Amino acid sequence: MLLAMTTDPRTRRAPAGAAVLREDVTEAIRAAVFEELATVGFARMSIEGIARRAGVGKTAVYRRWKSKLSLVLDLVSAFAAQGLPAPATGSLYGDVRALLEVASHALRHPVASQVIPDLLVEAARNPEIADTIKSALFDSQRGVAALVVRDAVARGDLPETADPDRALDLILGPLYWRLVVVRGDLPKGYLDDLAASVVAALTRG
């Protein structure tokens, strides 16, 4: 113990070989997972296919994740950790409109539009995926909605009884339906009108 405490850290040997996980390889694998999910879906996705698409050996994948499930769960959590940015425009309409803009860009991304529905289908069969999606995606977005509602209450734009969960439903529900389920385009002015409708619904209580 004493030796470990007094040894100069500069003299310690850096890990080598398998102990070193190159970040560029890790990122290549993560990108390959998104592409595989969008192309073949979770059920048909394999470690072999991921490794081939990433240009690495299977061992490079298994050094980082024990299975395709743990890989996807880690990816979903990392993606959700980026989260929606909490807007601070100074008005409820401005905050809602800003959230709609960011969410619409995310849902229109070609990979996201393929991956999200597939993972939701798998979540119905796999409790681990369901729990990860709920904690990683729903909880983080709920936190942003709570900040928007809190700021609106502080400004007097909303009553203290305003419900963040209802706000989140009103903001993201219509977008998800149109962009992911129906896969339709957003008409000109759609986000402006939707933001106004959300504000009207929230302020009515």
Side-chain angles (χ1 to χ4, degrees):
M1 173 69 74
L2 182 62
L3 179 62
M5 294 175 61
T6 57
T7 300
D8 187 338
R10 291 172 297 180
T11 65
R12 297 174 188 166
R13 294 180 60 187
V20 177
L21 298 179
R22 289 171 46 189
E23 187 60 27
D24 60 328
V25 173
T26 301
E27 289 306 312
I29 295 171
R30 286 174 173 153
V33 172
F34 275 120
E35 293 173 5
E36 282 288 288
L37 280 171
T39 304
V40 304
F42 178 82
R44 295 175 57 197
M45 186 178 75
S46 66
I47 296 296
E48 290 81 359
I50 293 168
R52 184 168 53 251
R53 189 180 290 272
V56 300
K58 288 192 297 182
T59 54
V61 180
Y62 282 118
R63 282 176 190 157
R64 293 160 173 82
W65 298 278
K66 62 182 181 180
S67 66
K68 72 173 186 178
L69 176 59
S70 61
L71 202 169
V72 169
L73 295 182
D74 177 64
L75 212 62
V76 170
S77 298
F79 179 77
Q82 301 174 17
L84 289 174
T89 65
S91 73
L92 178 58
Y93 174 86
D95 287 352
V96 169
R97 181 62 177 78
L99 284 179
L100 287 171
E101 186 70 34
V102 173
S104 68
H105 279 296
L107 291 174
R108 278 183 286 189
H109 191 284
V111 174
S113 66
Q114 294 292 330
V115 170
I116 293 174
D118 185 65
L119 286 181
L120 290 177
V121 170
E122 293 299 326
R125 308 186 187 108
N126 191 313
E128 284 188 83
I129 294 179
D131 290 343
T132 298
I133 289 177
K134 180 183 181 301
S135 62
L137 297 181
F138 175 73
D139 292 348
S140 64
Q141 293 169 357
R142 185 184 187 190
V144 174
L147 289 174
V148 169
V149 169
R150 184 199 66 187
D151 290 347
V153 169
R155 290 190 303 264
D157 294 340
L158 289 176
E160 294 183 0
T161 55
D163 183 4
D165 286 351
R166 182 165 177 255
L168 185 60
D169 290 344
L170 291 169
I171 293 169
L172 295 184
L175 275 182
Y176 185 84
W177 173 260
R178 179 176 284 270
L179 294 176
V180 179
V181 179
V182 178
R183 295 183 180 274
D185 294 328
L186 297 183
K188 183 177 180 180
Y190 178 84
L191 294 183
D192 296 331
D193 292 342
L194 181 56
S197 297
V198 170
V199 170
L202 291 174
T203 52
R204 282 200 300 268

